[in-house]
Amino acid sequence: MADTSDPTRPEPVAAGGRPLTAGVAMLATAVAVVSVLVGGLLAAVALTGHVFGAWRSPESLTPGLIGAAMLGTAPGLFAVARARAWHEARSLVRPMAVVLVGLFTVSLLDAGHLYMARGGSIVPVLFSLGWLFVLGTLCVCAVIALARQYLTPGRPPGPRGAPLPGWSKPALAVLGSAWLGIGTGLLVRPGFWAGFVPWSVNRLDAQALGVWALALGVGVLGALADDDLGRTGPALTALPGTAVAVTVVLACRASAVDWSSGPALCLVAMVAGLLLAGLGGRALLARPLAARPRG
């Protein structure tokens, strides 16, 4: 029998809770595949300086950042399929649902600005048709899968295996609140908050960026509420991936950003916060149990 008293052995995720349904696992994998294909395309085209997307953007940076966020979260979404219980995956699945529902709603409400309505060359018109159809399909699947997940009976989750260190909680609260607040502002009042984006955006750009900012805020604050590194594995994979992908796009399209502005400096700090949160969480989770800070 294996010795379970070894303090250097990684602590298993607490037992109990709702089992992860096959529908949620399949949905996360499907979204990951779409994110790699579509996100990779948007990011790659943006790096060349060309504008490509489902709608006409004044600057290639916005579709590039949307693609980078999709691409960066894909590894974490693939990791959801390896989770055993809902509480191990929800810190990333809930933000994923926010993105799907939010982007579909924004695209549907502003469908008149999509290439499929305004016309243009055949490639962006077909891309906008596919964008709306795929988002709508995934959005419906997400609602059904999450409803079934929450209706699945289960036991209460066991005690926290790796609580967040106390010194990290204020920083995570500030980081999550910043993303949540900016995302809400861009969604609710895009005309006003678009002026704080340090590059040229239109209404649909602002709201799409707002959806992603809102999802990042939900993810960070959700992880803070869970207060257990063992329950945030997929999210800890997605955070640094998203930060790195966004940084690459920002660096390659740096000429489009007003770096002397306050919002640009805030954006740098918030993206760095995502990177540090993800890498720091991974490092803390890998530490021996005896060395982990409690509370």
Side-chain angles (χ1 to χ4, degrees):
M1 181 178 296
D3 180 14
T4 58
S5 64
D6 183 1
T8 64
R9 184 182 300 278
E11 188 168 355
V13 177
R18 294 186 179 93
L20 186 71
T21 61
V24 171
M26 293 173 62
L27 174 67
T29 301
V31 174
V33 172
V34 172
S35 296
V36 170
L37 297 176
V38 178
L41 175 62
L42 292 175
V45 173
L47 293 180
T48 67
H50 294 86
V51 179
F52 179 74
W55 59 86
R56 193 184 307 276
S57 298
E59 172 57 52
S60 64
L61 187 54
T62 296
L65 289 177
I66 293 173
M70 296 171 69
L71 199 59
T73 55
L77 292 172
F78 280 122
V80 168
R82 299 195 295 270
R84 297 168 298 170
W86 167 239
H87 60 262
E88 299 175 36
R90 64 189 178 192
S91 59
L92 183 59
V93 174
R94 287 183 297 202
M96 178 196 73
V98 171
V99 170
L100 293 176
V101 175
L103 284 182
F104 178 66
T105 302
V106 166
S107 299
L108 194 62
L109 292 177
D110 292 323
H113 296 282
L114 300 180
Y115 280 109
M116 56 181 281
R118 302 189 65 173
S121 60
I122 187 65
V123 173
V125 169
L126 291 177
F127 182 82
S128 65
L129 281 169
W131 173 270
L132 200 60
F133 174 76
V134 172
L135 270 179
T137 302
L138 292 176
C139 183
V140 172
C141 291
V143 172
I144 295 173
L146 288 178
R148 185 171 181 180
Q149 176 67 69
Y150 278 106
L151 291 174
T152 301
R155 297 174 297 167
R160 297 192 303 271
L164 297 173
W167 53 263
S168 69
K169 295 178 181 179
L172 288 175
V174 171
L175 179 65
S177 299
W179 283 109
L180 187 73
I182 290 173
T184 302
L186 288 170
L187 273 174
V188 176
R189 296 191 61 189
F192 174 77
W193 283 90
F196 292 93
V197 178
W199 61 86
S200 298
V201 295
N202 56 27
R203 176 185 175 86
L204 199 44
D205 284 343
Q207 290 189 310
L209 292 172
V211 168
W212 273 103
L214 183 67
L216 289 170
V218 168
V220 173
L221 293 178
L224 181 61
D226 280 337
D227 193 15
D228 190 347
L229 291 169
R231 300 178 185 180
T232 59
L236 290 178
T237 301
L239 282 181
T242 302
V244 170
V246 166
T247 299
V248 170
V249 173
L250 284 172
C252 292
R253 301 299 305 150
S255 60
V257 182
D258 180 11
W259 294 107
S260 63
S261 64
L265 298 178
C266 290
L267 177 62
V268 171
M270 291 164 64
V271 172
L274 295 179
L275 180 63
L276 293 175
L279 296 180
R282 280 290 175 189
L284 287 172
L285 192 58
R287 293 174 63 182
L289 298 185
R292 287 184 194 160
R294 298 286 177 174

